[in-house]
Amino acid sequence: QVQLQQWGAGLLKPSETLSLTCAVYDGSFTGYYWSWIRQPPGKGLEWIAEINHGGSTNYNPSLRSRVTLSVDTSKKQFSLRLSSVTAADTAVYYCARDLDDSGAYRGIFHIWGQGTVVTVSS
Amino acid sequence: EIVLTQSPATLSLSPGERATLSCRASQSVNIHLAWYQQKPGQAPRLLIYDAANRATGIPARFSGSGSGTDFTLTISSLEPEDFAVYYCQQRSYWPPSFGPGTKVEIK
């Protein structure tokens, strides 16, 4: 059964850059889109961006200017960088995979990482 | 961006009762709506996709219906493990967006 394992720094100061990585285990990396989704404390979910194995990306316009995604197919990993963080970026960040690799089910988030708590505080 | 509204915000029910959760989209999303369950400290779990299709391993007591702007998630008979927060999510228009959630709590 495919699993996503994610990691990254959990405590940042304002203006620093958030950096998270998600690794794919026991499953294919190619053919899928891989997303980042976040959830501020006590609030709902916000889709951040997605990338595929070829490096093709799509971003939420609300975060586009601060987000960079990258992919390392040899390691089956993808990464998120969010620059100039503020307290408003405090959230649990999840990586997630689409339902399947056909392309017909893009935007259906079937497999999720365990989440990384990121706190921005001076 | 599509705005999703969920009602009620909180649903207080007893085990064995039927739960009916609603999700309304600010414009038609066709059938491109999914439902997720989230328990405290856990990642969301996909329950229903494209309005009415159960994801792999999801019990038959969970069902979804609707199209266009109005959708419903029904839990036919609540089990103790079903008390959680439920989110709807659309993928018809990019970026994908989520509703604010409905909390199903034990009465």
Side-chain angles (χ1 to χ4, degrees):
Chain A
Q1 175 73 310
V2 61
Q3 294 184 56
L4 303 184
Q5 185 82 21
Q6 57 182 105
W7 64 89
L11 181 60
L12 297 171
K13 290 182 167 53
S15 81
E16 292 184 334
T17 296
L18 177 157
S19 181
L20 299 175
T21 297
C22 184
V24 180
Y25 295 101
D26 298 325
S28 175
F29 191 71
T30 57
Y32 292 93
Y33 269 86
W34 305 91
S35 286
W36 290 97
I37 296 164
R38 70 180 183 178
Q39 185 171 35
K43 296 188 178 181
L45 299 153
E46 179 181 34
W47 181 81
I48 300 170
E50 65 177 1
I51 190 168
N52 71 2
H53 68 281
S56 179
T57 55
N58 292 289
Y59 298 92
N60 191 322
S62 67
L63 296 165
R64 174 65 182 94
S65 63
R66 298 194 291 131
V67 172
T68 303
L69 298 188
S70 60
V71 65
D72 186 335
T73 55
S74 66
K75 295 181 178 179
K76 295 203 298 184
Q77 294 177 2
F78 60 105
S79 298
L80 167 71
R81 289 174 59 87
L82 179 67
S83 63
S84 305
V85 297
T86 69
D89 295 310
T90 294
V92 178
Y93 287 74
Y94 295 100
C95 56
R97 194 203 77 180
D98 281 353
L99 180 60
D100 74 7
D101 59 356
S102 70
Y105 298 109
R106 280 182 63 194
I108 299 172
F109 308 113
H110 185 214
I111 308 296
W112 294 68
Q114 79 277 19
T116 300
V117 177
V118 175
T119 303
V120 181
S121 175
S122 57
Chain B
E1 184 173 327
I2 300 292
V3 176
L4 299 177
T5 305
Q6 293 187 242
S7 61
T10 304
L11 196 53
S12 299
L13 295 168
S14 300
E17 289 194 293
R18 183 184 188 89
T20 303
L21 289 66
S22 295
C23 178
R24 176 165 289 179
S26 58
Q27 62 189 84
S28 175
V29 296
N30 198 334
I31 61 165
H32 299 139
L33 190 108
W35 291 93
Y36 300 82
Q37 176 194 68
Q38 188 178 35
K39 297 179 181 178
Q42 296 184 16
R45 177 172 73 142
L46 177 66
L47 300 176
I48 302 287
Y49 65 94
D50 285 355
N53 298 289
R54 271 191 305 276
T56 304
I58 301 303
R61 64 181 182 273
F62 291 93
S63 63
S65 64
S67 66
T69 61
D70 291 297
F71 299 86
T72 301
L73 174 69
T74 302
I75 310 171
S76 59
S77 178
L78 282 164
E79 296 288 339
E81 61 268 28
D82 298 338
F83 292 92
V85 179
Y86 293 83
Y87 294 97
C88 59
Q89 175 245 325
Q90 67 82 26
R91 67 182 186 101
S92 194
Y93 292 91
W94 232 245
S97 54
F98 294 83
T102 290
K103 181 179 182 180
V104 179
E105 65 176 23
I106 300 176
K107 186 174 182 180

